[in-house]
Amino acid sequence: QMQLVESGGGSVQAGGSLRLSCTSSGYTYPGNCMGWSRQAPGKEREGVAWIDSNGQTRYTSSVKDRFTISRDHSKNILYLQIESLTPEDTATYYCSASRGSLLGLSCLYYYAWDYWGKGTLVTVSS
């Protein structure tokens, strides 16, 4: 079993930045795929960033050029750097992980996550 715990959320003003972290514990799966999703109030959860174990990444179009996903394998931490925040970025952000090894496109378009964290809230004021 893998446990995921997000941190780094908070209240910021528009134009600001945040770095979210997701720490993995328990069993870690070599070569697994990881990602960030978000759920805004009253909306469905949406995937925003994906990263495979080789560092290949993909972003949904609405966040491209503002979000950067990265992972530190030695520390088992997944990051999401968010720049130029807007009120539309207000949401609970969740990290997720696959159980199996997924590389390239099989990771970057993956949605059937095996593990989820409980989320961290980001609130952006104008």
Side-chain angles (χ1 to χ4, degrees):
Q1 289 288 338
M2 171 184 277
Q3 291 79 43
L4 302 173
V5 178
E6 302 93 337
S7 60
S11 297
V12 297
Q13 289 194 326
S17 61
L18 280 175
R19 188 176 79 161
L20 308 183
S21 300
C22 172
T23 301
S24 304
S25 62
Y27 186 80
T28 55
Y29 297 86
N32 71 342
C33 180
M34 299 193 76
W36 287 97
S37 303
R38 68 183 180 184
Q39 187 166 19
K43 295 188 177 181
E44 293 187 355
R45 190 177 300 189
E46 63 166 344
V48 296
W50 292 255
I51 186 167
D52 73 7
S53 60
N54 288 334
Q56 289 192 70
T57 61
R58 185 175 82 90
Y59 303 92
T60 193
S61 58
S62 62
V63 307
K64 198 173 181 181
D65 299 328
R66 297 192 301 117
F67 286 25
T68 303
I69 187 172
S70 61
R71 59 196 293 181
D72 185 328
H73 290 280
S74 66
K75 297 180 180 178
N76 292 324
I77 300 178
L78 178 73
Y79 298 103
L80 186 68
Q81 179 71 37
I82 308 175
E83 306 288 347
S84 303
L85 280 154
T86 73
E88 288 69 38
D89 295 317
T90 294
T92 299
Y93 285 73
Y94 300 89
C95 72
S96 53
S98 71
R99 183 179 292 116
S101 177
L102 296 168
L103 294 175
L105 295 180
S106 62
C107 166
L108 303 182
Y109 288 87
Y110 191 72
Y111 291 90
W113 303 107
D114 298 291
Y115 300 102
W116 289 92
K118 294 186 183 299
T120 185
L121 178 63
V122 173
T123 303
V124 185
S125 58
S126 59

